[in-house]
Amino acid sequence: MSFPCDLRTLHDAESGTELHPQEIPDWISRRIDDESISGRPSGRRVAVVDSGMLPSHSWIRASLDPDGVADFTGEGWEDTNGHGTVTALLTLAASTEPLTLFSAKIVGRDGRAEPDNLIRALQWCATQKVDWVVLSAGVQRRSWGRDVDCAGSCRVCKAAAAVLDQGVLITAAGGNRPGLLACPATLARVGHANFIASGPVDAEGRGTTYMAGVVVPYVFHGALVCTTTMPSPQMIRAYELETTNPPTAVAAYEAIVEQGNDDEAAHALCRIGELHERIGAASAAVDAYRRAVVRGHRDSSPRAGIRLGNVHEAAGDHDAAVAAFEDVAATGHRVHAPMALLNLGNGELRAGNPVAAELAFRRAGAFTGTPSGASAMKNLGVLLWQAGRFDDARQAFRTVLDWGPSRESPGVALNLGMMEKQLGHLESAEEWLMKAIATGDDERASRTALELGDLLAAQRAPSRARASYEIAAQRGSEVTREQARAAFRGLADS
């Protein structure tokens, strides 16, 4: 994260020279010129979670809340790296309205940050009642020794979600690995409201912005992101209203639709549909989603088709759901087509049509390496396992693992272990259960350790069983932990 610039370039106290990312905004100029300003500045409250700030820089001095600073590194809250100051300056430069800055320092002079400090900083932001958090740091989830995407369920994502649920907007960098998002930026990819994340750029400066599950391409030019497809101020404002005033948010989205911007109209209709879903207005949601589908947008329309199918499925209209999912599948969209086929397969299972479910899962699995394809192949493995087709189930599970680490890897390894245990292949079962524990997924690791403890107890290996129960008792849900503690006590008593 280190910024390739000497801090004296940002502000040199001796010469008074400063680095400004662009011409000074009028509202900052007025603040600097107004010597009567004292105490806390006014304006939208923005917390920059980064490497701290240089309080001597004129822009920051005029905008920083004197009590709105926190240090989680032990170095003191002032910037010793440069990145946080630059981030704050760019945030101020991009704003057309007055801002009040808050600073949470989690990045040290060496450019490194600890996940626990990021969580603490997010919690601190909530206590400061900020309106907006700007976050340039993240945690890359790992499974089986390799970087993978998180599903939004890790500790960092949960801490960020708690802030988002208070109506706070978070904008975050997604990391530097093309194809992967660091946490908590992954929340924007999975569709959490009030989160906008920018993914890494490639050698040509092309990257991706994620907003409520919608993917928007952008091009990076120099120090600022320049693109005609970034969310408009009207879209961002409507987005913020979702938590605080949903009816007003619907009206704001309808105004965007009336403006006729093809890129934003379909997305706005998707958001309208989701807001109607939240209050149980299924018919209004269906209408909004159908309007979004008709727009024919390359990303938002297939996404609306999936939501449309889900609403029909929830209402018990299976045939309408199948039609909606098949329409999305026909687009061949790399993300939404396999997701639609996954939902189609799950719906066919609920409808008691295992043959149709198997076909849908296999079609989704044809989208090699996609998250929905992996989920479909895992579900296919479970379906075949329950049908007694163990070789076919094993092949489906192994396909997911052959694609490389993913969020489904822990569950697939657990399923393989449990199936092999059922078949009496105890050595193979133990091998797969150990691999599932090694993935680092707390809940699945806890359940897997419980399964492994039972297996080892049955093999009359009490010391190893106790070790597994101890792992299960320390991780995962309270239910699983209590089961592990009970099994440990039972083993000790026997």
Side-chain angles (χ1 to χ4, degrees):
M1 280 197 60
S2 59
F3 185 77
C5 177
D6 191 288
L7 288 172
R8 287 174 298 180
T9 307
L10 299 175
H11 175 78
D12 187 345
E14 294 183 4
S15 66
T17 58
E18 292 182 338
L19 172 68
H20 297 160
Q22 63 180 50
E23 184 178 348
I24 184 170
D26 289 342
W27 63 269
I28 295 181
S29 180
R30 289 193 297 271
R31 275 187 178 175
I32 294 173
D33 293 341
D34 189 350
E35 296 180 356
S36 65
I37 292 179
S38 61
R40 292 178 175 80
S42 61
R44 195 177 184 198
R45 299 161 69 88
V46 181
V48 177
V49 180
D50 209 298
S51 64
M53 300 180 192
L54 278 179
S56 58
H57 194 289
S58 60
W59 291 23
I60 294 173
R61 185 172 63 250
S63 304
L64 183 64
D65 186 309
D67 296 326
V69 296
D71 170 46
F72 299 95
T73 67
E75 297 179 354
W77 70 269
E78 294 189 18
D79 194 356
T80 54
N81 174 277
H83 195 283
T85 298
V86 171
T87 299
L89 294 176
L90 290 173
T91 301
L92 294 171
S95 179
T96 58
E97 60 177 328
L99 301 178
T100 299
L101 286 179
F102 291 72
S103 175
K105 180 175 176 178
I106 64 168
V107 178
R109 59 173 50 88
D110 61 356
R112 300 180 65 84
E114 295 296 328
D116 286 345
N117 289 341
L118 173 53
I119 292 171
R120 292 166 59 207
L122 289 168
Q123 294 168 341
W124 176 84
C125 289
T127 66
Q128 301 303 303
K129 300 188 182 304
V130 299
D131 305 301
W132 177 18
V133 174
V134 178
L135 175 62
S136 297
V139 178
Q140 188 63 63
R141 188 75 179 272
R142 295 181 66 80
S143 178
W144 290 5
R146 293 178 59 182
D147 292 340
V148 298
D149 266 348
C150 171
S153 59
C154 71
R155 294 188 304 126
V156 172
C157 285
K158 288 178 179 178
V163 177
L164 294 167
D165 289 343
Q166 295 186 27
V168 179
L169 173 69
I170 297 180
T171 55
N176 302 314
R177 297 283 303 278
L180 295 172
L181 279 180
C183 300
T186 188
L187 289 174
R189 177 180 58 76
V190 301
H192 204 296
N194 285 6
F195 205 126
I196 301 173
S198 295
V201 296
D202 60 20
E204 298 179 351
R206 300 184 181 278
T208 303
T209 290
Y210 299 84
M211 178 177 175
V214 174
V215 180
V216 181
Y218 69 81
V219 179
F220 188 83
H221 296 295
L224 293 174
V225 172
C226 304
T227 173
T228 58
T229 56
M230 286 290 285
S232 66
Q234 294 87 350
M235 179 66 80
I236 293 176
R237 179 57 181 158
Y239 200 43
E240 295 170 346
L241 288 168
E242 287 193 15
T243 302
T244 58
N245 195 332
T248 305
V250 170
Y253 283 131
E254 286 288 5
I256 292 169
V257 175
E258 291 177 6
Q259 291 173 5
N261 183 321
D262 288 339
D263 278 330
E264 291 198 333
H267 176 46
L269 287 166
C270 282
R271 302 307 299 169
I272 291 171
E274 291 174 26
L275 286 169
H276 285 311
E277 275 195 79
R278 292 180 198 173
I279 61 173
S283 60
V286 166
D287 177 68
Y289 292 140
R290 283 176 174 165
R291 291 165 62 197
V293 169
V294 171
R295 287 272 174 173
H297 188 272
R298 61 187 180 278
D299 293 313
S300 296
S301 293
R303 180 168 179 263
I306 292 175
R307 303 291 305 199
L308 178 61
N310 291 343
V311 173
H312 285 315
E313 194 71 58
D317 192 344
H318 180 64
D319 291 342
V322 169
F325 291 140
E326 287 288 6
D327 285 344
V328 177
T331 68
H333 193 284
R334 178 70 177 169
V335 174
H336 298 306
M339 187 181 298
L341 290 166
L342 170 64
N343 290 4
L344 175 59
N346 292 336
E348 294 290 14
L349 271 184
R350 287 190 293 268
N353 303 322
V355 175
E358 178 180 347
L359 177 61
F361 290 146
R362 290 192 183 279
R363 291 168 63 196
F367 289 83
T368 305
T370 62
S372 294
S375 297
M377 293 305 290
K378 183 194 74 172
N379 290 0
L380 175 63
V382 173
L383 173 64
L384 297 171
W385 174 16
Q386 293 174 342
R389 296 164 59 185
F390 302 115
D391 289 340
D392 291 338
R394 193 177 289 112
Q395 182 178 0
F397 288 141
R398 291 299 298 265
T399 296
V400 178
L401 300 179
D402 288 344
W403 288 349
S406 72
R407 64 188 182 195
E408 298 294 357
S409 298
V412 168
L414 171 59
N415 288 340
L416 275 166
M418 294 174 66
M419 186 178 75
E420 299 294 0
K421 177 185 172 185
Q422 176 185 329
L423 295 174
H425 304 156
L426 301 186
E427 288 188 8
S428 180
E430 182 177 351
E431 177 184 352
W432 284 115
L433 293 173
M434 290 294 291
K435 286 183 177 180
I437 292 173
T439 62
D441 184 297
D442 280 351
E443 177 53 30
R444 286 197 179 98
S446 181
R447 289 169 48 208
T448 306
L450 184 61
E451 286 286 336
L452 180 58
D454 292 343
L455 174 64
L456 293 170
Q459 291 180 297
R460 300 188 182 280
S463 60
R464 295 171 63 200
R466 289 191 191 95
S468 292
Y469 288 143
E470 286 179 345
I471 293 174
Q474 295 169 5
R475 303 163 69 174
S477 69
E478 180 57 37
V479 172
T480 304
R481 294 200 299 269
E482 181 53 40
Q483 290 175 338
R485 287 191 287 265
F488 185 92
R489 290 192 298 267
L491 188 64
D493 294 340
S494 60

